Structures are given as C-alpha cells and as structure tokens.
Amino acid sequence: MPVKVSVVVPVYNPGPYIEDCVASLLRQSLPPDEFEVVFVDDGSTDATPARLDALAAEHPHFSVVHQENSGWSGKPRNVGIDASRGEFVMFVDNDDHLGDEALERMYEYGVANKADVVVGKMAGKGRPVPVELFRRNHPHATVANAPLIDSLTPHKMLRRSFLERTGLRFPEGRRRLEDHVFVTEAYLRADNVSVLSDYVCYYHVKRDDAANAGFQRFDPVGYFQNLREALDVVERYTEPGALRDRLLRRWLRVEIVDRMSGRRLLAMPEDYRREVFRETHAVVKERFGPGVAPGMRPGQRIVAALIRDDRYDDLVAYAEWEAGVRPRAVPSGVEWHDGSLRVRFTAEYTDADGPLAVGPGGPRPPADDAPADLAEAVSRLTAAADAGFAKATADLVLRDRETGASYFQPVRAGRERVPAADGRSRLVLHGTATVDPAAAVGGGPLTDGLWDAHVRLTLGGWTKECRLGPVPAQGVALPPAALVAGRVVLPYRTKGHANLSLDVDRAVKSLGLNRLTPADAALSDGEVLSLALPLYVPDRTAITLRLTGAASGRTLDVEAVLTPADGARALLSARVPVRELRNAAWRTALVLPGGRALKLPLLLRAGRDDVRVVRVAPRGLLRRLLGRARRVLGRVLGPTTTRKA
C-alpha cells in the first residue's frame, strides 16, 4: 500500500524525552501500513542510537538513519526527506509529540483542500505557540489572508511533489532560524496552504531540563545574520509594497522588538543585553524600511524607534516601566444557564501604581519618532489606549492544564470609562463568556482534565493574557457541578490564587455528594426513590442507580432519571425493585452516561416489605473509631507477654 505520510524526526541526545514522541507515533489512528517514521540520528552520544535501532527492529514502519553530527537540525531533516517515500512529509522534533489523530486528520485535510502545506493546531507546554492563527480553520490560507507568518516552526506537513518541484530544503550546518527560511519559502511558493484548527495536532513541549535546542543562548552576530537570510526570502518572492512590509514586520516584531521589551529584556545579563542590542540596532537600520514599523502596535513602535536611534539606556528604562504593565481580569458572576456556563468578568490593564488611567485630551497616538523620555512614552501609550478603546477586546480562553491546548470561547463585551483621580479614567471591559461543555473544544466536548480560564485583553498597545481571578470570596458564588454532554463539569477556585478553573470528570469529594443525608431522599408508594442532588442538569437526563449488596456484593442496576429542580439541584427518580432487595442492606452509586460511577453516602436498608434510607458511616471514621478502641483496650490490658515453651 502506498505510504501516505512520512514522519521525519531529527534526533540528537534526547535521552528519555524522546519517549513521549515515540508513544504518540505508535498511537496514531492512521494505520501503520499507511505511514512511516524516519528517525535521523545526528550523531547522538547517549543511549538513543540503540533505542532507535530497537524500535526499528520491532516496528516495520519505523526506520533509522545514523550520521555524524551536523551541528543542527537542518541536515537531518533533509536526509529524512530523501530517505522517505510518503505522499506527504511531516516534521516532528524529538522532544515534542503528536495528537493521536494528527497524521490522519492533517493528511485528509490536505488532500481535500489540495494543499501543498498543512499547518496543524499547536499547543504549547511551557513554550509559546501561535494563538490567533488557530481561532478557526483556514482551508485556503495565504500570507495575505491569514496570520500564517506567525507560525514558522518546521512542524508542518508538506506534499512531497511540492518539495521536489521546488527543490525546497532546509539550510544546513550549525546555525539558527533554518526553519524560518524553509517555512517562509514554502508559504510563498505553495499553491495552497491549509490550516487545521479544530484539533490539536502538535504538542510543543519545554523539557524539564530546559535543554531544547531553541532555549539555548545564541550568538547574536550569527543569529541576526541568519535572520537576514529569512528576510532575503521574503524580498525574493514578493514585490515592494504593503504585503512585503507586513511580512517583514513579523521579524521586527517577534525576533527584535518582543525580545528587547519588558521582562524579557531585563532578564538578560547586562553584557549580553548590550551585545544583542548592538546587533538589533544594526539590522533595524539596515533592513527595515519606513513602511514596516507603522503597522505595529504603539508600544512596539516605541521600542523599534529606540533601537533604531541607538538609545540603549532609554530602552532599558522603558522596559522597566513596561514590565509592570499587565492585565487583570476578575469574575463578577458564574452560573449555569441552558446547559452552558455563563462567566461574567471585568478586565483592565494595571501598572505599578494600580489600574492604568488615561487623561483627557492627551497627545495624539504615537508617531514613528522615538519619544523624548519615559514620561512621553507613557503618555503616548495611554493616549493610544484611550483613542483605541472602542476597538478593545477581551477573549476568554480555556487551556488544558496538562497539554496546553487552548480554545477561544464566545464573549460579548462592553466598554466603560470609570472615573479615576485627577479627572482621568480607567478603561474597563465587561465581558460575558459562554462556555458550552458540549462544544467548547473546537466544536467538540470538553475532555477529561483540568481547564484553566484565561482572559486575553487587547487594548491600545498591548495584547496580553492573565488568569481569570481571583474569584471573590464574597459576592460571587460558584455554581454546583453540572452533568452536561455526559460529563461532570465543576467550576472551582484554585488553591492559593483562587483563580477560576473547570474540573471535568475528575472531582469526587468536591462535588458535594458526600454531604447527602436521608433527609435529601424520599420513598413514595414504597418503591419510588426520589433524591435531591447538588448537581445541575439542563434537561431530563437518563442515568443508572447502581445498588450493591453490602454483604453479598450482588449488583443491581436500576434505570433512573435526573430532572432539573432549580439552578443548584437536580431530582433523581428511580423505581427500586423492593422484592429483590428484601432483608439486606444496599450501597448506592450513580452511574453516569459515560460509565463513570459516583458513590453516594446513602444505604438502602430493606426489610421484608419496606425500604429505609440511612446514611453510611464514612469508612475513615470507622477506622478512626476502631483504632481508638484498640488503643483504649491496649491500655486496659497492659503490655502483651510472650510465654516461653
């Protein structure tokens, strides 16, 4: 059978960090006879070569190429291209991993859209990944109609015929940004690029030892020379004008301005910071014309102008102020409504002095000239925020705590100018987000795990994220868990910071079921059990009441129904088989549609003709009472002696 996808994995001394990559390749939904994996070992000196050889011996669709160390990932990827035979080629780094359906979904999406390049949604675990690009699917993306240029890592799927037609290969040798050169040319020469955003295909992971190649300190001279090569590609395949300026702006913004801003700049050692500054100054003067910087946000333009004008001390002073600017988002209401979680919140920017405030009649938004001093820079930014307040946005993003997968939720936002001191105003956004557990993950249901709520606030010169919280202890009561789409979803405050998070199908004690008492239950007609549960259900829901004999262990499953009682409770109704329960005690549990069982602290004690509901004593309490009795008995009886024969 023809190979649909070849996965090329450059490998160098990953140690145990390759195991997640290998495991994800073995879990792929694409059948093993439809894809191959080519590991290219770039002269590893650890146990990896033997590990790869063992994998290749065990799995026929795995193969290994061993070579002398080349210094970087470019040559191993090129060797992998030439050694593979799939219709498409997918590049994966040895310390990252794929979603289980990544190859199948990306291949089918690429074929359906006749794409030369397929970009799969990424999730970052300790590493930044594009966010705006993956808001929605882009079956026919270009650098002009989608923010493709924000995604320049090599982790893409490319059609082999496109690679052969163009002769496209990675720059080789010990260098940086080889992926920028390769991916930029691929975008600009492809007949079509497709972006798949409704499934996380690629997990970009920061290693615990922070030894990923991209985290190592770089030589500024070599790095920015490699950056110039990426700019050369843009200029080779575009005409002068707005599109070229927009593409070049990506490197000015990400590789220079963002690197030389705020806490990121301040974290560099002084001597290294000055060295990087010298190189950024040179490349800004040399390669970015007058049309590039104006498309950036006001704060980014200030940094670019200070670098261009060689004002190192002023750049550091601005970074010290800007490092204190951050968003704050606080919930003002959380409730279940029509099967969705409504989250109301307020959001604004703050600095070291508190909420950021703007004054009346400030100067115009920033020009391209560098500000005279820090005071003017701050004045420009607050004026820009004031002028652009009508376009300010606040997004709610749910992020899987384990994988880093992020999904935007629908938000309705309003804007308010709140009076502050000295005639100034705070710029506050009021948002109402709707989280539908059945469709929150790219149109699919929330998966099991912990999901953290983040707010992404765009105002004036900034787009930054923060956790949603703290949830006020007074005035904001969190609703109970909900049974929606077959899953139990519990909104909760995190420990320590009291931020808003969602627990999906993990919580047990915090659901509140352990607080049920016989007073919450009723029996009518001797056999119809009604039980008020601290659980929200949007509509009538069929579940199972499981009865287990306390002595016999025998199990009876009884059909039950949950109906909404109010916003905080659901009413369970079940007809219990009294005759089958006679003269025995039965433990109770709820079995949810997905098969998860939740024990209840209630016991059905059946006589000959009747059933009573009693509370089960917590097992921990019984153990404590037994232990106490043993200790008392030991003191009464005294120490035990051993009789000699």
Side-chain angles (χ1 to χ4, degrees):
M1 178 175 291
V3 175
K4 293 180 177 178
V5 181
S6 296
V7 181
V8 173
V9 185
V11 180
Y12 181 71
N13 285 355
Y17 294 100
I18 197 173
E19 296 305 327
D20 284 345
C21 177
V22 171
S24 74
L25 293 168
L26 292 174
R27 289 195 307 267
Q28 287 302 299
S29 59
L30 195 65
D33 60 349
E34 295 184 12
F35 78 99
E36 64 175 352
V37 180
V38 180
F39 294 101
V40 182
D41 175 41
D42 197 38
S44 293
T45 58
D46 61 3
T48 301
R51 170 65 173 139
L52 297 179
D53 288 339
L55 285 168
E58 183 179 358
H59 303 285
H61 61 306
F62 282 23
S63 63
V64 186
V65 177
H66 297 284
Q67 66 180 31
E68 293 184 1
N69 183 257
S70 66
W72 208 250
S73 301
K75 184 174 181 179
R77 293 193 188 108
N78 291 340
V79 169
I81 293 172
D82 295 337
S84 61
R85 52 197 173 94
E87 181 183 352
F88 283 82
V89 180
M90 175 76 189
F91 298 104
V92 177
D93 283 347
N94 62 194
D95 37 24
D96 296 333
H97 59 274
L98 296 175
D100 292 356
E101 301 173 20
L103 298 183
E104 181 178 15
R105 287 180 179 244
M106 292 178 72
Y107 174 82
E108 291 178 352
Y109 196 65
V111 170
N113 293 296
K114 299 179 180 180
D116 287 330
V117 182
V118 184
V119 184
K121 181 181 177 75
M122 300 179 71
K125 187 65 173 176
R127 304 194 69 169
V129 297
V131 176
E132 296 298 330
L133 176 62
F134 299 121
R135 275 183 181 264
R136 63 177 181 85
N137 287 341
H138 299 271
H140 302 283
T142 68
V143 293
N145 67 18
L148 280 177
I149 206 67
D150 287 346
S151 179
L152 294 181
T153 61
H155 316 119
K156 318 285 189 282
M157 185 179 286
L158 292 92
R159 191 181 293 270
R160 178 176 298 278
S161 60
F162 168 68
L163 293 173
E164 299 307 322
R165 182 177 74 250
T166 59
L168 186 60
R169 294 294 188 272
F170 288 89
E172 298 184 0
R174 186 165 186 81
R175 51 161 297 132
R176 291 295 189 114
L177 303 181
E178 81 292 339
D179 46 357
H180 288 207
V181 174
F182 178 90
V183 174
T184 301
E185 184 169 345
Y187 286 159
L188 293 173
R189 300 184 70 181
D191 290 336
N192 184 40
V193 179
S194 295
V195 181
L196 177 64
S197 299
D198 56 10
Y199 178 80
V200 178
C201 299
Y202 197 92
Y203 293 89
H204 203 26
V205 182
K206 180 181 179 181
R207 288 165 49 161
D208 293 337
D209 61 0
N212 310 73
F215 278 88
Q216 307 310 303
R217 180 188 289 191
F218 59 78
D219 165 45
V221 174
Y223 184 91
F224 288 104
Q225 183 55 45
N226 295 153
L227 184 147
R228 289 176 173 89
E229 295 173 29
L231 305 182
D232 291 341
V233 173
V234 173
E235 293 176 353
R236 186 181 309 130
Y237 293 104
T238 62
E239 297 295 327
L243 177 61
R244 175 185 286 183
D245 287 342
R246 179 148 65 88
L247 297 180
L248 295 178
R249 190 174 301 134
R250 185 266 175 217
W251 283 272
L252 177 59
R253 172 173 51 88
V254 178
E255 305 302 328
I256 297 178
V257 168
D258 288 354
R259 189 183 304 278
M260 305 300 286
S261 297
R263 281 172 280 184
R264 194 170 175 189
L265 175 69
L266 300 176
M268 297 181 192
E270 170 69 15
D271 56 344
Y272 182 67
R273 184 196 304 164
R274 287 185 177 275
E275 188 178 358
V276 175
F277 178 80
R278 284 194 299 270
E279 295 304 318
T280 58
H281 168 68
V283 74
V284 167
K285 291 281 287 185
E286 173 190 331
R287 298 301 298 264
F288 297 110
V292 178
M296 294 193 299
R297 295 192 174 116
Q300 295 169 333
R301 291 165 67 178
I302 288 174
V303 173
L306 292 173
I307 294 172
R308 180 197 62 205
D309 293 353
D310 202 17
R311 292 170 54 184
Y312 174 82
D313 292 337
D314 289 334
L315 179 70
V316 172
Y318 176 75
E320 290 171 344
W321 174 81
E322 200 272 337
V325 176
R326 60 191 67 190
R328 180 179 64 188
V330 180
S332 54
V334 183
E335 62 184 2
W336 291 106
H337 181 77
D338 290 340
S340 294
L341 188 68
R342 279 188 179 172
V343 181
R344 298 189 304 276
F345 62 91
T346 61
E348 63 183 317
Y349 272 97
T350 66
D351 63 13
D353 297 324
L356 199 63
V358 300
R364 295 178 178 273
D368 292 328
D369 292 338
D373 52 27
L374 178 60
E376 183 182 333
V378 174
S379 178
R380 287 187 184 185
L381 286 173
T382 55
D386 189 24
F389 188 45
K391 296 181 179 180
T393 61
D395 289 299
L396 183 75
V397 180
L398 285 185
R399 183 163 295 135
D400 187 320
R401 191 179 299 174
E402 181 178 355
T403 67
S406 300
Y407 296 92
F408 286 90
Q409 306 303 306
V411 174
R412 289 186 294 105
R415 301 165 187 85
E416 180 185 11
R417 296 178 184 273
V418 178
D422 303 326
R424 298 184 300 163
S425 299
R426 293 162 48 202
L427 305 178
V428 179
L429 277 77
H430 301 276
T432 300
T434 302
V435 179
D436 180 358
V441 178
L446 284 171
T447 54
D448 297 359
L450 303 178
W451 293 82
D452 297 321
H454 296 252
V455 170
R456 185 176 176 86
L457 181 59
T458 297
L459 172 63
W462 303 285
T463 294
K464 297 186 179 185
E465 281 190 8
C466 64
R467 288 294 304 274
L468 180 54
V471 181
Q474 303 294 328
V476 178
L478 293 184
L483 177 58
V484 185
R487 289 172 168 81
V488 176
V489 181
L490 174 69
Y492 74 98
R493 294 176 175 88
T494 61
K495 292 183 179 179
H497 298 289
N499 294 319
L500 179 65
S501 293
L502 303 181
D503 180 309
V504 181
D505 266 353
R506 287 195 177 183
V508 178
K509 292 183 179 179
S510 50
L511 295 179
L513 297 177
N514 59 336
R515 294 192 291 271
L516 291 173
T517 70
D520 296 307
L523 279 164
S524 58
D525 298 330
E527 59 182 12
V528 178
L529 174 67
S530 298
L531 181 60
L533 299 173
L535 194 67
Y536 167 82
V537 291
D539 47 34
R540 184 182 176 90
T541 303
I543 64 168
T544 299
L545 176 65
R546 176 164 294 168
L547 305 177
T548 303
S552 66
R554 180 188 173 199
T555 297
L556 295 174
D557 282 348
V558 180
E559 293 182 356
V561 174
L562 289 175
T563 54
D566 54 43
R569 283 184 171 259
L571 185 66
L572 177 142
S573 298
R575 185 175 295 275
V576 297
V578 175
R579 291 185 179 180
E580 295 188 58
L581 305 183
R582 284 178 175 173
N583 301 319
W586 298 82
R587 298 187 182 276
T588 57
L590 303 179
V591 182
L592 305 180
R596 183 186 179 198
L598 298 174
K599 294 181 180 179
L600 302 178
L602 301 178
L603 197 71
L604 297 186
R605 194 175 294 281
R608 178 177 177 82
D609 298 310
D610 66 334
V611 177
R612 292 182 298 118
V613 180
V614 299
R615 182 173 171 84
V616 178
R619 185 174 299 177
L621 177 60
L622 290 174
R623 286 176 177 166
R624 290 196 297 272
L625 291 175
L626 182 58
R628 183 177 300 174
R630 285 174 175 167
R631 289 192 296 272
V632 171
L633 186 61
R635 287 195 295 268
V636 171
L637 297 179
T640 301
T641 60
T642 303
R643 187 184 300 272
K644 293 183 179 180

